Amino acid sequence: VQLQASGGGLVQAGGSLRLSCAASGRTSRYAMGWFRQAPGKEREFVAGISWSGRITAYADTVKGRFTISRDNAKNTVYLQMNSLKSEDTAVYHCAAQITVRDFVPSDYIYWGQGTQVTVSS
């Protein structure tokens, strides 16, 4: 599975962005996740979605502001980011993990190149 993230950019605090992650090949049995890494910080989990889309998980720092969704027909996962804050500035990566059952895993083996999100205050 190859993953390509897009949709990053520069936005003012309080604004919105939608990230997309397009996957080559079928990902209908893959859980998908978004992670981010800010300069000088470790990579952190942002959001995840099970292969059916019925189960989602979010980091506490983004809960209520970000929404993860997927379109299995298009092999694409989205991250809608609202009410952006300066601390959301980071490179965002999407990731995939095949799962036997429908859940959000903590480990992912397929990773895409990131997309930069910069939030100006």
Side-chain angles (χ1 to χ4, degrees):
V1 175
Q2 292 185 323
L3 306 172
Q4 181 64 53
S6 62
L10 174 64
V11 64
Q12 288 188 332
S16 298
L17 280 176
R18 188 176 83 153
L19 305 184
S20 298
C21 176
S24 63
R26 293 184 62 186
T27 56
S28 57
R29 290 291 178 174
Y30 286 80
M32 304 292 291
W34 285 98
F35 291 76
R36 67 187 181 187
Q37 187 165 21
K41 295 187 177 181
E42 293 187 353
R43 185 174 62 197
E44 63 174 353
F45 172 80
V46 175
I49 188 166
S50 67
W51 56 257
S52 72
R54 287 191 292 265
I55 302 171
T56 58
Y58 296 93
D60 288 341
T61 52
V62 307
K63 210 171 283 185
R65 299 187 297 122
F66 291 10
T67 302
I68 189 170
S69 61
R70 65 189 297 160
D71 185 338
N72 285 342
K74 296 182 179 180
N75 293 326
T76 302
V77 175
Y78 305 97
L79 185 68
Q80 178 67 43
M81 306 186 295
N82 298 329
S83 303
L84 283 161
K85 305 175 181 179
S86 58
E87 50 264 44
D88 295 319
T89 295
V91 176
Y92 284 70
H93 298 266
C94 59
Q97 172 68 297
I98 191 166
T99 58
V100 174
R101 56 187 178 89
D102 194 31
F103 79 118
V104 179
S106 57
D107 296 319
Y108 294 79
I109 62 172
Y110 298 103
W111 292 85
Q113 291 184 324
T115 185
Q116 175 72 46
V117 172
T118 303
V119 184
S120 63
S121 56

